[in-house]
Amino acid sequence: MTSPVLDGLGTPPIRRLSPARIIALGSALAGLFAAFLITTTAPASAAEVLVSQGKPATASSTEVAGAYQPGEAVDGNNGTRWASAFSATQWWQVDLGASTAVSRIAINWEGAYAKAFTIQFSTNGTSYTQAYATTTGTGGQQSIAVSGNARYVRINLTERALAIYGYSFWEFQVFSGGGTPPTTPPPTTPPPTTPPPTGGARLLSYSKPAQSSSWQNDVNCNPCSPDKAFDNDPASRWATSSTTGWVDPGWISVDLGATAQISQVVLQWDPAFGRAYQIQVSADNANWTPIFSTTTGDGLKDVINATGTGRYVRLYGTARGSAYGYSLWEFSIYGTGGAPVNPPAKPADPTFPATRLVFEDNFNDAAGTKPSTAKWTYDPGVPQNGEIQYYTPNSENAQTDGGGNLVIEARRQDYQGRQYTSARMNTGGKFSAQYGRFEARIKVPKGNGLWPAFWMMGEDFLSGRPWPYNGEIDIMEVLGRNTGEMYTTLHAPAYNGGGGYGQKNAAGVDLSLDFHLYAAEWDSKGIRFFLDGRQVFDAKKDTVESTRGPWIFDHKFYLILNLAVGGDFPGPIDATTPFPSRMLVDYVRVYQ
């Protein structure tokens, strides 16, 4: 997300990771989430050679003196990175030492990625030719086919994904020779959102006994046992052990309970993916027959149409696509036979426009009335992200105005050791829903450092699942310093904080001058975001799975309203920031 809005929600406490924290604490996060980091050091073929590692690198700038140096992007360590100063025009370059035939560039972006950039080649360091250009970069892991001779390889960066920060990547790798791995699954394995149950095929692997060569169980992945790949929960995963399992071969298998006829296998990889692997079947869990193999796996989502017969199915990896082990969010097997268990049924998709009202609050009470505790929980406490307000208990900073509006008020006020107060409220434990239209009519405040938001959190957060594994849906965030824009974003384990999936949207008007309708229409295919009836962003499930990682939003979420003050993303308040500042909410409604 270009702007995360994860606030603590009372009990249990959580952290919200802002873009600045993602950028400033990148190395620390890399260590904490090592199993999530991506590298592409595995060659596409035996003939392809990595030629940039350890070579001299230079750049237009660095974010911090003495840190995030250019050479940290060619050191082979995905826990270190280069980061630029916070401006739009930057460059980074590596000297290969001699003119080399270059065939591929692999970039592992940090959250501060480039939307627009070019790659240039030079043999003398003076004159350059363009080898690649894009204005639609999406970050993450990029594998770019190029052709030409170069001693110097330069990336010129011209448009930022995070407009108030710079650019950053963990690794920039230059390859010579060999074939180029595809960036999407081959045409024989198209990526449907849900594999079609053709010929009576059904999910055979759900909740079945699993084994693996090893599995991780530590502070970074607790537990990442093999059964997690077959639980139909895309926010849990299997990973090989960080102490014994980051080796080849690595494998995971499942017992389907009886002989089955396999027709399709779907793999949702963690960044620790298989470059070379087989899908194998067995009748006895000892003698294995391959029904599919590849040496050019590129991670993310693989949909494999392969046929075979057996009781046991195994993924057998022989070459890792990262410096880590193997890891899968989901390993789904479809076919006939076996002894399948039905996963929990999902609700039917709404038909839009949805008209059945399932929740509303019109705030039509007398002036000074606090929000109804039958619908809302007041959410007191100290927030995260460098925010400076204290969220007061008992809705001291939220009440109706007698004119049909809820007023959430940020005040300059000494309270619990802080000098500013505000309010946050949520429907957790009182109302949650899966799918539908979620909308609120809101007038946002203007002023440096103000941060109003209307968003949702996965209901399982309240039962102990930590962020971002529970999921977060940000329907509206507006920064008081620029009320002509709004942000819409999704957060999940594979894309969160500054790297969340979403975008900044031009409003076309000053959102602080009047009420505006912010809405999301959500079903099993994705989430579409609207401003005053105009669609501003479409998060398609199949696109997210094929480009960013697992879609974890097919479960219940609850609603949140808040007004934050200061912090890493909106920036500081100043002498021009008005206090009190008010976020007015005309109504909140949910339709199914």
Short mmCIF file of all heavy atoms in Angstrom, two decimals, residues 347-397:
data_model
loop_
_atom_site.label_atom_id
_atom_site.label_comp_id
_atom_site.label_asym_id
_atom_site.label_seq_id
_atom_site.Cartn_x
_atom_site.Cartn_y
_atom_site.Cartn_z
N PRO A 347 -19.81 -18.00 1.47
CA PRO A 347 -21.11 -17.40 1.12
C PRO A 347 -21.19 -17.13 -0.38
O PRO A 347 -20.17 -16.98 -1.06
CB PRO A 347 -21.12 -16.10 1.92
CG PRO A 347 -19.69 -15.78 2.16
CD PRO A 347 -19.00 -17.12 2.31
N ALA A 348 -22.40 -17.05 -0.86
CA ALA A 348 -22.59 -16.74 -2.28
C ALA A 348 -22.17 -15.31 -2.55
O ALA A 348 -22.27 -14.43 -1.69
CB ALA A 348 -24.06 -16.93 -2.65
N ASP A 349 -21.71 -15.06 -3.77
CA ASP A 349 -21.35 -13.70 -4.16
C ASP A 349 -22.59 -12.82 -4.20
O ASP A 349 -23.65 -13.25 -4.68
CB ASP A 349 -20.70 -13.71 -5.55
CG ASP A 349 -19.23 -14.07 -5.50
OD1 ASP A 349 -18.64 -13.97 -4.41
OD2 ASP A 349 -18.69 -14.46 -6.55
N PRO A 350 -22.47 -11.60 -3.73
CA PRO A 350 -23.59 -10.66 -3.88
C PRO A 350 -23.79 -10.31 -5.36
O PRO A 350 -22.87 -10.43 -6.17
CB PRO A 350 -23.14 -9.42 -3.10
CG PRO A 350 -21.94 -9.83 -2.33
CD PRO A 350 -21.34 -11.00 -3.05
N THR A 351 -24.98 -9.90 -5.69
CA THR A 351 -25.25 -9.31 -7.00
C THR A 351 -25.26 -7.80 -6.83
O THR A 351 -26.02 -7.27 -6.01
CB THR A 351 -26.61 -9.79 -7.55
OG1 THR A 351 -26.56 -11.20 -7.70
CG2 THR A 351 -26.90 -9.14 -8.89
N PHE A 352 -24.39 -7.11 -7.55
CA PHE A 352 -24.30 -5.66 -7.41
C PHE A 352 -25.15 -4.98 -8.48
O PHE A 352 -25.18 -5.44 -9.63
CB PHE A 352 -22.84 -5.22 -7.50
CG PHE A 352 -22.01 -5.74 -6.37
CD1 PHE A 352 -21.04 -6.70 -6.58
CD2 PHE A 352 -22.19 -5.27 -5.06
CE1 PHE A 352 -20.26 -7.19 -5.55
CE2 PHE A 352 -21.42 -5.76 -4.02
CZ PHE A 352 -20.46 -6.72 -4.25
N PRO A 353 -25.86 -3.92 -8.16
CA PRO A 353 -25.83 -3.25 -6.85
C PRO A 353 -26.54 -4.05 -5.77
O PRO A 353 -27.67 -4.48 -5.96
CB PRO A 353 -26.55 -1.93 -7.13
CG PRO A 353 -27.45 -2.22 -8.29
CD PRO A 353 -26.71 -3.22 -9.14
N ALA A 354 -25.83 -4.24 -4.65
CA ALA A 354 -26.40 -4.96 -3.52
C ALA A 354 -27.43 -4.08 -2.82
O ALA A 354 -27.21 -2.88 -2.65
CB ALA A 354 -25.29 -5.35 -2.54
N THR A 355 -28.55 -4.66 -2.41
CA THR A 355 -29.66 -3.86 -1.87
C THR A 355 -30.14 -4.31 -0.50
O THR A 355 -30.93 -3.60 0.13
CB THR A 355 -30.85 -3.91 -2.84
OG1 THR A 355 -31.23 -5.28 -3.04
CG2 THR A 355 -30.50 -3.29 -4.18
N ARG A 356 -29.67 -5.45 -0.01
CA ARG A 356 -30.13 -5.92 1.30
C ARG A 356 -29.27 -5.29 2.39
O ARG A 356 -28.10 -5.62 2.54
CB ARG A 356 -30.07 -7.45 1.38
CG ARG A 356 -30.57 -8.02 2.69
CD ARG A 356 -30.72 -9.54 2.62
NE ARG A 356 -29.46 -10.21 2.34
CZ ARG A 356 -28.62 -10.66 3.30
NH1 ARG A 356 -28.93 -10.49 4.59
NH2 ARG A 356 -27.52 -11.29 2.97
N LEU A 357 -29.82 -4.39 3.15
CA LEU A 357 -29.09 -3.67 4.18
C LEU A 357 -28.88 -4.58 5.39
O LEU A 357 -29.84 -5.06 5.99
CB LEU A 357 -29.86 -2.42 4.59
CG LEU A 357 -29.18 -1.45 5.55
CD1 LEU A 357 -27.95 -0.83 4.90
CD2 LEU A 357 -30.16 -0.36 5.97
N VAL A 358 -27.62 -4.81 5.77
CA VAL A 358 -27.32 -5.70 6.89
C VAL A 358 -26.70 -4.96 8.08
O VAL A 358 -26.60 -5.51 9.17
CB VAL A 358 -26.42 -6.86 6.45
CG1 VAL A 358 -27.15 -7.75 5.45
CG2 VAL A 358 -25.10 -6.36 5.87
N PHE A 359 -26.25 -3.72 7.85
CA PHE A 359 -25.72 -2.91 8.95
C PHE A 359 -25.85 -1.45 8.56
O PHE A 359 -25.59 -1.07 7.41
CB PHE A 359 -24.24 -3.23 9.21
CG PHE A 359 -23.61 -2.34 10.27
CD1 PHE A 359 -23.65 -2.71 11.60
CD2 PHE A 359 -22.98 -1.14 9.93
CE1 PHE A 359 -23.08 -1.90 12.58
CE2 PHE A 359 -22.42 -0.33 10.91
CZ PHE A 359 -22.47 -0.71 12.23
N GLU A 360 -26.24 -0.62 9.53
CA GLU A 360 -26.21 0.82 9.29
C GLU A 360 -26.13 1.56 10.61
O GLU A 360 -26.60 1.09 11.64
CB GLU A 360 -27.42 1.30 8.49
CG GLU A 360 -28.73 1.27 9.23
CD GLU A 360 -29.87 1.91 8.43
OE1 GLU A 360 -29.59 2.82 7.62
OE2 GLU A 360 -31.02 1.50 8.63
N ASP A 361 -25.53 2.73 10.54
CA ASP A 361 -25.60 3.70 11.62
C ASP A 361 -25.67 5.07 10.97
O ASP A 361 -24.76 5.47 10.23
CB ASP A 361 -24.39 3.61 12.55
CG ASP A 361 -24.65 4.27 13.88
OD1 ASP A 361 -25.50 5.19 13.93
OD2 ASP A 361 -24.02 3.88 14.89
N ASN A 362 -26.80 5.76 11.19
CA ASN A 362 -27.03 7.06 10.57
C ASN A 362 -26.70 8.23 11.50
O ASN A 362 -26.79 9.39 11.09
CB ASN A 362 -28.49 7.18 10.12
CG ASN A 362 -28.80 6.19 9.02
OD1 ASN A 362 -28.14 6.17 8.00
ND2 ASN A 362 -29.82 5.36 9.24
N PHE A 363 -26.34 7.93 12.75
CA PHE A 363 -25.90 8.93 13.71
C PHE A 363 -26.91 10.09 13.85
O PHE A 363 -26.53 11.26 13.89
CB PHE A 363 -24.51 9.46 13.32
CG PHE A 363 -23.48 8.38 13.13
CD1 PHE A 363 -22.99 8.06 11.88
CD2 PHE A 363 -23.05 7.63 14.22
CE1 PHE A 363 -22.05 7.05 11.70
CE2 PHE A 363 -22.11 6.61 14.07
CZ PHE A 363 -21.61 6.32 12.80
N ASN A 364 -28.18 9.72 13.94
CA ASN A 364 -29.24 10.71 14.02
C ASN A 364 -29.65 11.05 15.45
O ASN A 364 -30.75 11.53 15.69
CB ASN A 364 -30.47 10.23 13.24
CG ASN A 364 -30.26 10.30 11.73
OD1 ASN A 364 -29.51 11.16 11.24
ND2 ASN A 364 -30.87 9.38 11.00
N ASP A 365 -28.78 10.77 16.41
CA ASP A 365 -29.12 11.01 17.81
C ASP A 365 -28.95 12.49 18.17
O ASP A 365 -28.40 13.29 17.40
CB ASP A 365 -28.21 10.16 18.70
CG ASP A 365 -28.32 8.68 18.37
OD1 ASP A 365 -29.38 8.11 18.59
OD2 ASP A 365 -27.33 8.11 17.85
N ALA A 366 -29.41 12.83 19.36
CA ALA A 366 -29.28 14.20 19.85
C ALA A 366 -27.82 14.59 19.99
O ALA A 366 -26.94 13.75 20.17
CB ALA A 366 -29.99 14.33 21.20
N ALA A 367 -27.57 15.88 19.91
CA ALA A 367 -26.20 16.39 20.02
C ALA A 367 -25.56 15.92 21.32
O ALA A 367 -26.18 15.91 22.38
CB ALA A 367 -26.21 17.91 19.95
N GLY A 368 -24.30 15.48 21.22
CA GLY A 368 -23.55 15.03 22.38
C GLY A 368 -23.69 13.56 22.70
O GLY A 368 -23.09 13.07 23.66
N THR A 369 -24.48 12.81 21.90
CA THR A 369 -24.66 11.38 22.14
C THR A 369 -23.44 10.61 21.65
O THR A 369 -22.95 10.85 20.55
CB THR A 369 -25.91 10.86 21.42
OG1 THR A 369 -27.05 11.62 21.84
CG2 THR A 369 -26.14 9.39 21.71
N LYS A 370 -22.97 9.70 22.47
CA LYS A 370 -21.82 8.88 22.08
C LYS A 370 -22.27 7.76 21.13
O LYS A 370 -23.44 7.35 21.18
CB LYS A 370 -21.15 8.29 23.31
CG LYS A 370 -20.55 9.34 24.23
CD LYS A 370 -19.91 8.71 25.45
CE LYS A 370 -19.30 9.76 26.35
NZ LYS A 370 -18.66 9.15 27.55
N PRO A 371 -21.39 7.28 20.29
CA PRO A 371 -21.76 6.17 19.39
C PRO A 371 -22.30 4.98 20.18
O PRO A 371 -21.84 4.67 21.27
CB PRO A 371 -20.44 5.83 18.69
CG PRO A 371 -19.63 7.07 18.77
CD PRO A 371 -20.00 7.70 20.08
N SER A 372 -23.27 4.30 19.60
CA SER A 372 -23.95 3.19 20.27
C SER A 372 -22.99 2.05 20.55
O SER A 372 -22.33 1.53 19.64
CB SER A 372 -25.10 2.69 19.41
OG SER A 372 -25.61 1.46 19.90
N THR A 373 -22.92 1.62 21.82
CA THR A 373 -22.07 0.49 22.17
C THR A 373 -22.65 -0.83 21.71
O THR A 373 -22.00 -1.86 21.80
CB THR A 373 -21.82 0.46 23.68
OG1 THR A 373 -23.08 0.44 24.37
CG2 THR A 373 -21.00 1.67 24.13
N ALA A 374 -23.88 -0.81 21.22
CA ALA A 374 -24.44 -2.02 20.60
C ALA A 374 -23.83 -2.25 19.22
O ALA A 374 -23.87 -3.37 18.71
CB ALA A 374 -25.95 -1.91 20.49
N LYS A 375 -23.28 -1.18 18.64
CA LYS A 375 -22.71 -1.28 17.29
C LYS A 375 -21.20 -1.06 17.28
O LYS A 375 -20.51 -1.59 16.42
CB LYS A 375 -23.37 -0.25 16.37
CG LYS A 375 -24.85 -0.48 16.15
CD LYS A 375 -25.45 0.58 15.24
CE LYS A 375 -26.94 0.31 15.00
NZ LYS A 375 -27.54 1.35 14.11
N TRP A 376 -20.69 -0.25 18.20
CA TRP A 376 -19.31 0.19 18.15
C TRP A 376 -18.57 -0.08 19.45
O TRP A 376 -19.15 0.04 20.53
CB TRP A 376 -19.23 1.69 17.86
CG TRP A 376 -19.85 2.09 16.56
CD1 TRP A 376 -21.12 2.58 16.37
CD2 TRP A 376 -19.26 2.03 15.26
NE1 TRP A 376 -21.36 2.83 15.04
CE2 TRP A 376 -20.22 2.51 14.33
CE3 TRP A 376 -18.01 1.63 14.79
CZ2 TRP A 376 -19.97 2.58 12.97
CZ3 TRP A 376 -17.75 1.71 13.43
CH2 TRP A 376 -18.71 2.19 12.53
N THR A 377 -17.30 -0.39 19.32
CA THR A 377 -16.38 -0.50 20.45
C THR A 377 -15.45 0.70 20.41
O THR A 377 -14.84 0.99 19.37
CB THR A 377 -15.55 -1.79 20.39
OG1 THR A 377 -16.43 -2.92 20.52
CG2 THR A 377 -14.51 -1.84 21.50
N TYR A 378 -15.33 1.44 21.52
CA TYR A 378 -14.37 2.53 21.60
C TYR A 378 -12.98 1.91 21.78
O TYR A 378 -12.80 0.96 22.53
CB TYR A 378 -14.69 3.46 22.77
CG TYR A 378 -16.13 3.89 22.82
CD1 TYR A 378 -16.82 3.95 24.03
CD2 TYR A 378 -16.81 4.24 21.67
CE1 TYR A 378 -18.15 4.36 24.09
CE2 TYR A 378 -18.15 4.65 21.71
CZ TYR A 378 -18.81 4.70 22.93
OH TYR A 378 -20.13 5.09 22.97
N ASP A 379 -12.02 2.50 21.13
CA ASP A 379 -10.72 1.85 20.98
C ASP A 379 -9.62 2.72 21.56
O ASP A 379 -8.91 3.41 20.84
CB ASP A 379 -10.50 1.64 19.48
CG ASP A 379 -9.69 0.42 19.19
OD1 ASP A 379 -9.33 -0.30 20.12
OD2 ASP A 379 -9.39 0.20 18.01
N PRO A 380 -9.44 2.72 22.88
CA PRO A 380 -8.50 3.65 23.50
C PRO A 380 -7.06 3.17 23.41
O PRO A 380 -6.78 2.00 23.18
CB PRO A 380 -8.96 3.68 24.95
CG PRO A 380 -9.48 2.29 25.18
CD PRO A 380 -10.13 1.91 23.89
N GLY A 381 -6.13 4.11 23.61
CA GLY A 381 -4.75 3.72 23.74
C GLY A 381 -3.79 4.55 22.93
O GLY A 381 -4.17 5.50 22.25
N VAL A 382 -2.53 4.15 23.02
CA VAL A 382 -1.44 4.82 22.31
C VAL A 382 -1.25 4.12 20.98
O VAL A 382 -1.07 2.90 20.93
CB VAL A 382 -0.15 4.77 23.14
CG1 VAL A 382 1.00 5.41 22.36
CG2 VAL A 382 -0.35 5.46 24.48
N PRO A 383 -1.28 4.85 19.88
CA PRO A 383 -1.15 4.22 18.57
C PRO A 383 0.31 3.96 18.20
O PRO A 383 1.22 4.14 19.02
CB PRO A 383 -1.76 5.26 17.64
CG PRO A 383 -1.40 6.56 18.31
CD PRO A 383 -1.47 6.29 19.79
N GLN A 384 0.52 3.55 16.96
CA GLN A 384 1.85 3.27 16.44
C GLN A 384 2.22 4.27 15.35
O GLN A 384 1.59 5.31 15.20
CB GLN A 384 1.91 1.83 15.91
CG GLN A 384 1.75 0.76 16.97
CD GLN A 384 0.32 0.59 17.41
OE1 GLN A 384 -0.59 0.62 16.59
NE2 GLN A 384 0.10 0.44 18.70
N ASN A 385 3.24 3.96 14.58
CA ASN A 385 3.65 4.73 13.41
C ASN A 385 4.09 6.15 13.70
O ASN A 385 4.04 7.00 12.81
CB ASN A 385 2.52 4.79 12.36
CG ASN A 385 2.10 3.42 11.92
OD1 ASN A 385 2.91 2.64 11.47
ND2 ASN A 385 0.82 3.13 12.08
N GLY A 386 4.48 6.43 14.92
CA GLY A 386 4.92 7.76 15.25
C GLY A 386 3.80 8.76 15.44
O GLY A 386 4.05 9.97 15.54
N GLU A 387 2.55 8.30 15.48
CA GLU A 387 1.42 9.20 15.70
C GLU A 387 1.52 9.80 17.11
O GLU A 387 2.07 9.20 18.02
CB GLU A 387 0.11 8.45 15.54
CG GLU A 387 -0.11 7.89 14.14
CD GLU A 387 -1.18 6.82 14.11
OE1 GLU A 387 -2.16 6.94 14.88
OE2 GLU A 387 -1.04 5.85 13.33
N ILE A 388 0.98 11.00 17.27
CA ILE A 388 1.18 11.71 18.52
C ILE A 388 -0.08 11.82 19.37
O ILE A 388 -0.02 12.34 20.49
CB ILE A 388 1.75 13.12 18.25
CG1 ILE A 388 0.78 13.96 17.40
CG2 ILE A 388 3.11 13.02 17.56
CD1 ILE A 388 1.23 15.40 17.23
N GLN A 389 -1.23 11.34 18.87
CA GLN A 389 -2.46 11.47 19.65
C GLN A 389 -2.62 10.29 20.61
O GLN A 389 -1.97 9.27 20.47
CB GLN A 389 -3.68 11.52 18.72
CG GLN A 389 -4.20 10.18 18.23
CD GLN A 389 -3.34 9.54 17.17
OE1 GLN A 389 -2.52 10.19 16.54
NE2 GLN A 389 -3.52 8.24 16.95
N TYR A 390 -3.51 10.47 21.59
CA TYR A 390 -3.97 9.37 22.43
C TYR A 390 -5.44 9.16 22.10
O TYR A 390 -6.24 10.10 22.10
CB TYR A 390 -3.82 9.72 23.92
CG TYR A 390 -4.05 8.55 24.84
CD1 TYR A 390 -2.96 7.84 25.34
CD2 TYR A 390 -5.33 8.15 25.22
CE1 TYR A 390 -3.16 6.75 26.20
CE2 TYR A 390 -5.54 7.08 26.06
CZ TYR A 390 -4.44 6.38 26.55
OH TYR A 390 -4.65 5.31 27.39
N TYR A 391 -5.81 7.91 21.79
CA TYR A 391 -7.22 7.60 21.53
C TYR A 391 -7.92 7.44 22.88
O TYR A 391 -7.62 6.53 23.65
CB TYR A 391 -7.34 6.32 20.71
CG TYR A 391 -6.96 6.48 19.26
CD1 TYR A 391 -6.07 5.59 18.66
CD2 TYR A 391 -7.49 7.49 18.48
CE1 TYR A 391 -5.73 5.72 17.33
CE2 TYR A 391 -7.15 7.64 17.15
CZ TYR A 391 -6.26 6.74 16.57
OH TYR A 391 -5.93 6.88 15.25
N THR A 392 -8.86 8.34 23.15
CA THR A 392 -9.47 8.38 24.47
C THR A 392 -10.51 7.27 24.64
O THR A 392 -11.16 6.85 23.68
CB THR A 392 -10.15 9.74 24.71
OG1 THR A 392 -11.07 10.00 23.64
CG2 THR A 392 -9.12 10.84 24.77
N PRO A 393 -10.71 6.80 25.87
CA PRO A 393 -11.73 5.77 26.12
C PRO A 393 -13.12 6.38 26.17
O PRO A 393 -13.29 7.60 26.24
CB PRO A 393 -11.31 5.21 27.48
CG PRO A 393 -10.64 6.36 28.16
CD PRO A 393 -9.92 7.13 27.06
N ASN A 394 -14.11 5.52 26.15
CA ASN A 394 -15.51 5.95 26.33
C ASN A 394 -15.95 6.99 25.32
O ASN A 394 -16.83 7.81 25.59
CB ASN A 394 -15.72 6.47 27.75
CG ASN A 394 -15.38 5.44 28.79
OD1 ASN A 394 -15.71 4.26 28.63
ND2 ASN A 394 -14.68 5.85 29.83
N SER A 395 -15.29 7.00 24.18
CA SER A 395 -15.67 7.91 23.09
C SER A 395 -15.70 9.36 23.52
O SER A 395 -16.58 10.12 23.14
CB SER A 395 -17.03 7.51 22.50
OG SER A 395 -17.27 8.18 21.29
N GLU A 396 -14.73 9.79 24.31
CA GLU A 396 -14.67 11.18 24.73
C GLU A 396 -14.48 12.13 23.55
O GLU A 396 -14.84 13.30 23.63
CB GLU A 396 -13.56 11.37 25.76
CG GLU A 396 -13.80 10.65 27.07
CD GLU A 396 -12.66 10.80 28.05
OE1 GLU A 396 -11.87 11.76 27.88
OE2 GLU A 396 -12.54 9.98 28.97
N ASN A 397 -13.88 11.64 22.48
CA ASN A 397 -13.62 12.47 21.30
C ASN A 397 -14.52 12.12 20.13
O ASN A 397 -14.23 12.48 18.99
CB ASN A 397 -12.16 12.35 20.86
CG ASN A 397 -11.19 13.01 21.83
OD1 ASN A 397 -11.12 12.62 22.99
ND2 ASN A 397 -10.45 14.00 21.35
#
